[in-house]
Amino acid sequence: MTGGRVVGLDVARGLAVLGMVAAHVGADGSRGDGEPWPWLVASHGRPSALFAVLTGVTISLMLAGAGGRGDAWAVRHTRARVAARAGLLVLLGGFLAQLATGVDIILVNLGLMMLMAIPLLRLPSWALLSIAGLAFAFGRAVVAAILPGGWWEHAPVIGKLWSYHYPALAWIGYVLLGVVVGRLALRAGRVQALLVGLGAVAAAGAVLVRLVAGDGPVTGMVAHSYTPVEMVHNAGVAVAVIGACCWLAPRARTVLSPVEAVGSMALSAYVLQLLIIAFVGPEMVYEPSNVALVALEAVLLVSAWAWRRWSGQGPLERVLTVASNAAGTRAVRDMPRPRDPEEAVA
């Protein structure tokens, strides 16, 4: 832990970013002529789901740091901060989408998910998990019902609610799951073990259901198919990875420090890989090479480690922090902050 940060969460974010890079430019044998590493199929769907779950964790930690969901001042302050961050992600994602990368960029979708989560922050954990379960169970069906034809299919920004990749109506389940996970004592060994255990059971159970029932509209496990089984599997993997990283990171921090650095500036690292792909050309995506994958991930690891060592917070993270803090301050400008716990209860 550094400056109040949970080291394991940064490691998990780093793994999510590196996993998405592998999905973008790695050769797993499914496309292009590069020498395949078949195990890279694990990078499809799971890292991006982990990224979404970690977004929810971050929102929960922001609220806890401001005073908790029982504090009306803290809730308003956090909602404004989250809204500002979401707006910046939508703008940044829209800009990056204009680049020739061949990558399905998650940022606009993620911004919409954050906005959708804002009114739900005070709900009890059981309610958030219930809504997440509904999103996992019916999100794909809703998206499938909306998609065929019509101007709304490709509507700017709002169309990301039901887009083919990362539909916010389904993926909000990952963010709300993350909000619940973020309420736990993530530094406690028993919580870390619980997350690993429950996540592994959910992930393995989803695989078992798929094997027993066979592929179909509900049980298919193809990446980005958004079936209930795939989403439960991805959610289980994400929860298990978070628990494992929170346990392992403090014990192997020196070895994991480059991954931790990438995770501490996950947005900057994610954008950097897109800029590199745009500069080199979309052939990096359409004709993947694992040599290029290793080189790109090495650039991210080294640059993030060096930046953190000499400059601290990532460049885009600084922008988000300044903008969101300003929005939070404005939101509570006319609202006195409670001075004791009894006043904090709203």
Side-chain angles (χ1 to χ4, degrees), residues 276-304:
I276 291 173
I277 292 172
F279 177 78
V280 174
E283 296 78 17
M284 285 188 73
V285 174
Y286 298 130
E287 296 293 333
S289 161
N290 288 324
V291 174
L293 169 62
V294 171
L296 181 53
E297 297 215 329
V299 168
L300 295 181
L301 289 164
V302 172
S303 59

Side-chain angles (χ1 to χ4, degrees), residues 49 82 112 115 137 144 165 171 191 196 224 227 247 298 300 310 336:
V82 173
L112 285 178
L115 292 174
H165 289 283
W171 275 55
V191 172
V196 172
H224 302 302
T227 62
W247 179 85
L300 295 181
W310 284 292

Side-chain angles (χ1 to χ4, degrees), residues 5-20 45-63 82 85 89 106-107 110-111 113-114 117 121 136 171-184 186 195 234-247 249 259-260 262-267 270 317 320:
R5 296 181 71 92
V6 180
V7 176
L9 294 178
D10 281 335
V11 172
R13 289 188 193 95
L15 292 177
V17 171
L18 296 174
M20 286 189 286
R46 298 170 185 86
S48 49
L50 173 59
F51 201 56
V53 173
L54 286 164
T55 297
V57 174
T58 299
I59 292 172
S60 196
L61 294 179
M62 288 169 60
L63 179 55
V82 173
R85 290 178 176 230
L89 288 185
I106 195 174
L107 298 183
L110 200 60
M113 295 174 221
M114 293 168 69
L121 295 184
F136 290 164
W171 275 55
I172 184 62
Y174 291 134
V175 175
L176 296 181
L177 173 62
V179 172
V180 174
V181 171
R183 292 176 176 178
L184 303 176
L186 294 174
L195 291 177
N234 290 348
V237 171
V239 169
V241 168
I242 291 171
C245 288
C246 287
W247 179 85
V259 180
E260 179 190 344
V262 170
S264 72
M265 54 190 79
L267 178 61
Y270 179 84
E317 285 69 24
L320 287 184

Side-chain angles (χ1 to χ4, degrees), residues 13 26 41 85 108 120 128 192 207 228 236 262 312 321:
R13 289 188 193 95
V41 296
R85 290 178 176 230
V108 175
L120 307 177
L128 294 178
Q192 296 160 0
V207 172
V262 170
T321 298

Side-chain angles (χ1 to χ4, degrees), residues 36 144 209 281:
V209 168

Side-chain angles (χ1 to χ4, degrees), residues 35-51:
E35 185 66 27
W37 293 346
W39 54 269
L40 281 178
V41 296
S43 68
H44 294 289
R46 298 170 185 86
S48 49
L50 173 59
F51 201 56

